[in-house]
Amino acid sequence: MPGKKQKVKKAIGLAIMLVAIPLLIVLGVWLFEDRKYNVISMVIALLSCVPFFIRFEKGKNGAREIVVIAVMTAFSVIGRLAFSPIPAFKPVTAITIIAGIALGAESGFMVGSLTAIVSNIFFGQGPWTPFQMFVWGILGFVSGAVFYKKQTPNRWILSLAGLVGGVAYSLLMDVWSTVSMEGSFNFVRYLSYVGTSLPFMAMYAVSNVVFLLVLAKPFLTKINRIKTKYGIFQK
Amino acid sequence: MKYFDRLHPAVAFVYFALMIAISMLTTNPVVIAVSYLSSIVFCGMLIGGRQLMVSLAYNLPLLILLSATNPIFVHKGETILFFLNDNPVTKEAILYGVFASMMIMSVFYWFKCYSTVMTSDKFIYLFGRIIPKLSLVLSMSIAFIPKLKRKYKEIDEAQKALGIYSGKGMVDKIRSKFRVLSILLTNSLESSIDTADSMRARGYGLKGRSSYAIYKMTASDKILCALFILVGTASIVLIVLGTVDFNFYPTLSPISLQALQIVAYAIITAFAFAPTILEVKENVLWRCLKSKI
């Protein structure tokens, strides 16, 4: 019975990712309370991506799977580029969520985090890159973890996912804004940042819902067709 | 071709990693100003004056905006300049805002230099063996972007020629965009599988495959790399030991210029301007050689 053993292994892996990483962040806050927090937080964000990257590297993904992940990443980068004139109205989170639903949690993480690296080649790399890598990655991961093995989610669930994704993205990126200006995590300041970014948060959430409603069905149909045709990303 | 482009990728990578770390590790205004200036000058040398102006035109207002937010939120500091909505605006908070945003901008420009020099083939050369799948998926996504743009145009033109849509009027425009995008996705997914199969047919992922590389670590590369590591690490050690520590709150600490501090500033400045100096030296040398021919 390899199935059961694999399941247990996977559950443990999931627990490590979802519990150990936040723990690492808390530990970082506690250990390096006041000094150079901007660097440390950047390193933590980067380190948080490492377990996912290792899993991808050690995983049994073949050339076909890798190439499909690259195509999805390129699509989401192009989406970000195409909508660059409108602030905060971007299809990236939506495409990442779709990738998670269609290709699974780990591939969803890869699409999200790679989008951050690649699109920032055009928008500018900086200390924010690891944060975006982690935040988009984890959004793809969670959507994969929740939806991958289930039936295609309906409109309401998709809209809810988009809403949650937008709020989560905004809240997590505000952590970066706070840390980068303050050098430490000041909760009052964080709240004020969250306050000033509320319109952006709304915009993120609305754009996610719009893009998910428009793109999810055709994209999922197309990806599922490729999956069945070539026998890749089989559950 | 720029001098930094011709260096062995490892040397350039070491330099950028150390310099970005130095820029982020301290709040000392002298170090931040040096890093900011040197990053902009070097970036200008790499991407050309005109492009630099374009990016500065966008980044300078951003710098001012970022600087302005700090005194609005933070009321620490003892030198109160005036009151805004009953909240004190302090000199310390203003200056902290200026230097914190300058630090962010300097890191931004160092990363800009990094991505100009470290193209994806260099990245694969350095990391292809340690993280083969990751560096492959990364460079493939980068390569797909111009490819997809070109394909988009082709499909768009073909659809127009077929008379499927006119591309006039708002509704028609949006519908056409959506249609082309949807064709593009099917097309690129299908053709990407072809790419993958062709890769597999050529032995991708088999053991013992070597990769093509044109980079050779020359003696001068080695010397330069050693110098970079020595000077860069020395700078980081000096910063971590607190030689150039600087506090903005509650009052600005004085910038002491004792022997140790002068040495630290000199080392950091030399390291920050090293690429610029190397580039200038190379240009001068080239001019001299050219006129002799």
Side-chain angles (χ1 to χ4, degrees):
Chain A
M1 283 283 284
K4 202 170 180 185
K5 219 175 187 182
Q6 248 178 354
K7 246 183 195 168
V8 173
K9 239 181 182 176
K10 222 167 189 180
I12 293 172
L14 245 159
I16 288 174
M17 282 185 214
L18 294 179
V19 177
I21 291 164
L23 208 73
L24 187 75
I25 293 174
V26 171
L27 208 74
V29 173
W30 178 62
L31 277 180
F32 307 100
E33 209 165 355
D34 53 341
R35 293 193 65 206
K36 325 311 190 214
Y37 195 64
N38 48 1
V39 190
I40 286 153
S41 63
M42 188 178 135
V43 173
I44 288 177
L46 205 62
L47 276 182
S48 318
C49 296
V50 167
F52 297 94
F53 289 157
I54 291 174
R55 272 180 83 113
F56 175 73
E57 199 59 66
K58 300 273 175 228
K60 50 184 193 299
N61 281 334
R64 283 174 164 184
E65 281 86 353
I66 291 177
V67 175
V68 170
I69 291 173
V71 168
M72 289 311 292
T73 307
F75 250 81
S76 120
V77 172
I78 286 191
R80 194 176 175 201
L81 286 170
F83 283 92
S84 59
I86 317 170
F89 196 80
K90 304 281 182 299
V92 175
T93 310
I95 295 181
T96 305
I97 289 175
I98 292 171
I101 296 172
L103 311 177
E106 281 145 36
S107 309
F109 186 93
M110 292 309 296
V111 171
S113 59
L114 285 172
T115 301
I117 307 178
V118 176
S119 65
N120 282 351
I121 294 176
F122 304 95
F123 289 98
Q125 306 276 6
W128 51 83
T129 307
F131 281 83
Q132 284 178 325
M133 276 165 67
F134 180 67
V135 173
W136 271 328
I138 208 80
L139 287 176
F141 184 85
V142 170
S143 87
V146 176
F147 297 120
Y148 181 47
K149 297 216 165 143
K150 312 257 163 53
Q151 268 187 325
T152 313
N154 64 30
R155 279 160 184 271
W156 297 107
I157 298 179
L158 272 180
S159 307
L160 187 70
L163 223 69
V164 172
V167 172
Y169 180 79
S170 184
L171 287 179
L172 288 169
M173 285 312 286
D174 281 335
V175 173
W176 178 77
S177 317
T178 315
V179 164
S180 67
M181 278 309 281
E182 191 83 345
S184 66
F185 190 79
N186 175 337
F187 196 71
V188 178
R189 180 128 190 219
Y190 174 66
L191 285 184
S192 66
Y193 266 114
V194 171
T196 45
S197 65
L198 274 180
F200 282 94
M201 190 194 277
M203 197 71 165
Y204 289 135
V206 169
S207 65
N208 288 346
V209 172
V210 169
F211 280 115
L212 273 175
L213 288 181
V214 175
L215 299 179
K217 216 177 149 208
F219 270 44
L220 286 174
T221 317
K222 280 159 199 288
I223 300 170
N224 284 333
R225 178 181 155 272
I226 291 286
K227 271 164 61 180
T228 325
K229 184 175 175 186
Y230 293 105
I232 49 174
F233 291 109
Q234 295 302 326
K235 294 163 197 184
Chain B
M1 203 167 173
K2 301 286 186 244
Y3 178 69
F4 238 65
D5 271 337
R6 275 182 284 127
L7 285 179
H8 190 273
V11 183
F13 188 84
V14 162
Y15 178 80
F16 286 122
L18 285 169
M19 194 57 224
I20 288 166
I22 290 172
S23 312
M24 290 185 72
L25 269 172
T26 177
T27 49
N28 185 301
V30 178
V31 177
I32 290 172
V34 163
S35 167
Y36 183 68
L37 273 180
S38 55
S39 66
I40 288 178
V41 171
F42 185 49
C43 192
M45 299 196 114
L46 288 176
I47 64 175
R50 175 179 291 232
Q51 281 227 324
L52 182 72
M53 285 302 150
V54 172
S55 107
L56 278 177
Y58 175 76
N59 278 318
L60 283 180
L62 193 66
L63 180 79
I64 294 165
L65 194 76
L66 278 174
S67 316
T69 56
N70 196 57
I72 295 173
F73 289 127
V74 179
H75 309 293
K76 286 193 279 188
E78 283 187 346
T79 325
I80 295 166
L81 295 178
F82 56 91
F83 283 87
L84 195 75
N85 295 338
D86 291 334
N87 280 322
V89 173
T90 64
K91 186 175 95 182
E92 288 81 6
I94 291 177
L95 284 175
Y96 182 83
V98 171
F99 282 104
S101 9
M102 252 167 107
M103 190 245 272
I104 295 173
M105 284 297 148
S106 73
V107 175
F108 172 84
Y109 276 105
W110 282 122
F111 268 109
K112 211 172 163 70
C113 299
Y114 169 88
S115 44
T116 317
V117 173
M118 296 291 289
T119 46
S120 69
D121 58 318
K122 288 188 187 171
F123 184 82
I124 289 198
Y125 168 74
L126 278 185
F127 295 102
R129 245 170 245 178
I130 316 167
I131 41 170
K133 281 185 185 172
L134 261 176
S135 47
L136 178 74
V137 76
L138 189 65
S139 77
M140 276 192 130
S141 334
I142 296 169
F144 268 129
I145 287 157
K147 230 186 204 167
L148 289 185
K149 274 188 188 162
R150 209 167 48 232
K151 249 189 204 167
Y152 180 93
K153 230 180 136 193
E154 278 170 25
I155 297 168
D156 188 43
E157 278 163 4
Q159 293 280 307
K160 259 187 203 151
L162 282 169
I164 307 278
Y165 56 83
S166 61
K168 279 171 202 140
M170 203 56 191
V171 179
D172 205 43
K173 241 182 200 162
I174 293 173
R175 262 186 43 213
S176 72
K177 267 205 172 146
F178 192 65
R179 191 184 160 85
V180 174
L181 261 183
S182 129
I183 297 171
L184 182 66
L185 181 65
T186 316
N187 182 311
S188 47
L189 281 173
E190 285 269 349
S191 66
S192 72
I193 299 279
D194 280 348
T195 313
D197 287 350
S198 138
M199 277 162 58
R200 247 216 342 236
R202 287 152 204 242
Y204 164 75
L206 292 182
K207 261 189 189 154
R209 293 230 335 145
S210 60
S211 51
Y212 169 71
I214 50 170
Y215 306 106
K216 258 201 187 121
M217 194 83 159
T218 59
S220 67
D221 278 334
K222 276 180 198 160
I223 294 169
L224 199 59
C225 193
L227 266 176
F228 279 163
I229 290 174
L230 191 74
V231 180
T233 324
S235 313
I236 288 177
V237 167
L238 283 168
I239 288 171
V240 172
L241 286 180
T243 327
V244 293
D245 264 3
F246 186 89
N247 289 316
F248 282 88
Y249 307 121
T251 51
L252 304 177
S253 44
I255 292 185
S256 67
L257 282 175
Q258 275 155 344
L260 192 60
Q261 272 78 21
I262 292 174
V263 169
Y265 289 137
I267 287 177
I268 293 169
T269 310
F271 191 64
F273 280 99
T276 312
I277 294 165
L278 286 170
E279 210 71 57
V280 169
K281 188 206 100 192
E282 205 66 5
N283 284 345
V284 169
L285 204 67
W286 172 241
R287 291 251 164 94
C288 294
L289 289 174
K290 218 160 104 180
S291 55
K292 270 181 199 162
I293 296 169

